[in-house]
Amino acid sequence: RRLWEAANVIAADGWPDDLTELPGVGRYTAGAILAQADDADVSAIEVNIRRVVERCAGSALSERDAEASMKNLARPLCGRDRLLALMDVGALLCRPRDPRCSECPLRRRCASHGPRPDEPRSRQPAFAGSFRQRRGQVMARLRDNGNVAVDELDEEALASLVTDGLAVVHGTRAALP
């Protein structure tokens, strides 16, 4: 939905100087787009990169400190190469559990050599039986069948989709917007 809204803004007004002005685009997405599409020398901190820079620093970092650390840590790489290299290190080597430190190209610059003592150790809850799954099932019904009777759908999941603007209810029927 946000992609469609952003496309409409771009079609009507052109590309904004600041991509965060587009619907659904935050600091990370704006930085990632600029780095990958334009090879701009900007930082973009996502979960894998944050884990790498914080483990190398040996402590949790603010958003701004993580962005600065990202640039310093991956020198001489910049832009697209830096972004993708650090994402890959985080996804493949500096993993949340079972890190492969001996294979990491940053091991000599790493203060933690694995998970930090203060690093959060939470796992995302299982998808099966979750509210995310229930919302997905409602979305699938609406996508496949178009206009569905409200009483045939998970009421709570449908209500949350309506609140998020991802579904609409007209009387006793629900549909995609």
Side-chain angles (χ1 to χ4, degrees):
R1 177 182 169 105
R2 294 292 184 215
L3 180 59
W4 177 79
E5 291 172 354
N8 284 326
V9 170
I10 294 165
D13 304 327
W15 285 92
D17 291 333
D18 179 359
L19 296 180
T20 61
E21 293 174 8
L22 294 171
V25 176
R27 287 171 53 95
Y28 166 72
T29 302
I33 289 169
L34 291 170
Q36 292 187 60
D38 296 338
D39 201 23
D41 192 25
V42 296
S43 295
I45 302 295
E46 51 83 64
V47 67
N48 289 311
I49 293 173
R50 176 171 290 283
R51 185 172 48 255
V52 171
V53 298
E54 288 183 346
R55 285 181 178 175
C56 285
S59 64
L61 300 171
S62 70
E63 192 72 18
R64 301 268 185 219
D65 289 342
E67 289 172 350
S69 181
M70 176 187 178
K71 284 187 171 186
N72 291 330
L73 186 61
R75 276 194 184 122
L77 300 176
C78 61
R80 177 185 311 112
D81 292 340
R82 176 182 56 226
L83 177 76
L84 297 177
L86 287 174
M87 285 174 73
D88 284 350
V89 167
L92 301 173
L93 302 174
C94 193
R95 301 182 299 200
R97 290 161 294 285
D98 191 30
R100 294 164 41 189
C101 298
S102 64
E103 301 171 45
C104 182
L106 300 171
R107 67 184 168 275
R108 289 190 198 108
R109 299 170 70 184
C110 183
S112 299
H113 300 288
R116 299 182 337 268
D118 63 337
E119 190 172 304
R121 309 260 175 143
S122 64
R123 287 191 117 159
Q124 186 173 19
F127 181 70
S130 70
F131 189 61
R132 292 176 295 134
Q133 183 184 34
R134 290 170 42 207
R135 281 174 48 109
Q137 290 168 335
V138 170
M139 287 293 293
R141 288 278 314 276
L142 296 176
R143 183 191 64 234
D144 295 341
N145 302 313
N147 204 357
V148 180
V150 170
D151 62 359
E152 295 177 18
L153 300 170
D154 180 319
E155 181 180 338
E156 184 183 17
L158 176 60
S160 76
L161 292 168
V162 169
T163 298
D164 291 345
L166 298 172
V168 293
V169 174
H170 300 289
T172 62
R173 311 292 294 178
L176 297 176

